[in-house]
Amino acid sequence: MALRGPKVWLWRWRRNPLRRRADRVEAWVVLGVWLLTVFVGVLAGTTVSRSVEDGLARERDEWRPLVARLAERAPGTASENAHVSRAEQVWATARWTSADGSEHSGQLRVPAGSAAGAPVTVWTDPEGRQVTRPVTEPQARVRAFLVGGVAGLCAAVVPVVAGRALRSRLERRRIDQWDAEWSRLGPMWGRTAG
């Protein structure tokens, strides 16, 4: 275990007659890795965040609600409460006609016991296919921020790992140089001037 003194900030950049070329190279590598990490992380996070937010905005613009009719009676018994909880929702088949006149059908969550032919809302894409309800603008911002943040962190790992590998290679090289110098100068320590 190496003994370490107090932490000195920017020690790689201080003047020191014992500092070798490898120490200067490592200082530049560390600086470059940190700058590249920040740049790549911010660039990737911002790009992915914008892409996600644009995609969700496009969904809000293109996806439309249509009125569908239940093709069959929904399973279960009708609730007497006006407020139907999520637990009293069941899957049932509904049919709808898209803007181009084509017929579609799909499974929807509806209140238990709904009668056949009852109107329900279905969200569709421009081709009339069933989709989920699009997210609101605040939800899209949060989702874009989270996905962009994760993408930025993942992208920032690449320069950190590459820098770490380069620094360990520089460290091995420095150790090899020290071994070579020690094998050359070490035996001289035992000699006496005479």
Side-chain angles (χ1 to χ4, degrees):
M1 183 168 124
L3 298 174
R4 295 180 186 248
K7 183 136 179 125
V8 178
W9 289 98
L10 302 173
W11 64 270
R12 288 182 171 91
W13 298 98
R14 295 174 60 186
R15 291 188 183 269
N16 185 341
L18 299 177
R19 187 172 70 175
R20 299 171 182 219
R21 180 176 177 267
D23 297 326
R24 287 190 298 273
V25 169
E26 185 177 6
W28 283 106
V29 165
V30 169
L31 178 64
V33 164
W34 279 110
L35 291 175
L36 192 62
T37 299
V38 170
F39 176 74
V40 166
V42 169
L43 181 67
T46 304
T47 303
V48 169
S49 180
R50 277 191 194 139
S51 175
V52 167
E53 199 160 4
D54 290 347
L56 294 174
R58 190 171 38 258
E59 287 177 0
R60 276 194 309 277
D61 291 341
E62 294 176 356
W63 294 359
R64 296 283 174 241
L66 291 177
V67 174
R69 301 280 176 188
L70 288 180
E72 58 193 21
R73 185 178 180 285
T77 58
S79 173
E80 303 204 0
N81 297 345
H83 303 289
V84 178
S85 70
R86 199 73 173 140
E88 295 170 305
Q89 297 276 312
V90 294
W91 289 101
T93 302
R95 290 189 168 79
W96 63 93
T97 304
S98 64
D100 65 1
S102 61
E103 294 286 328
H104 298 274
S105 67
Q107 293 285 315
L108 298 174
R109 297 283 288 175
V110 297
S114 297
V120 290
T121 302
V122 61
W123 285 86
T124 61
D125 65 5
E127 287 79 39
R129 293 182 303 238
Q130 181 180 357
V131 293
T132 60
R133 174 182 224 131
V135 297
T136 63
E137 197 170 333
Q139 290 171 332
R141 254 186 260 117
V142 169
R143 189 177 293 181
F145 175 76
L146 292 174
V147 172
V150 169
L153 287 174
C154 290
V157 166
V158 174
V160 169
V161 169
R164 190 69 185 147
L166 184 57
R167 283 186 62 202
S168 71
R169 184 174 176 148
L170 288 171
E171 182 70 23
R172 280 194 307 270
R173 189 171 177 193
R174 186 173 29 241
I175 295 295
D176 291 344
Q177 288 174 348
W178 284 348
D179 284 345
E181 287 182 29
W182 182 254
S183 64
R184 186 172 54 92
L185 297 175
M188 291 183 191
W189 282 31
R191 296 186 189 168
T192 58

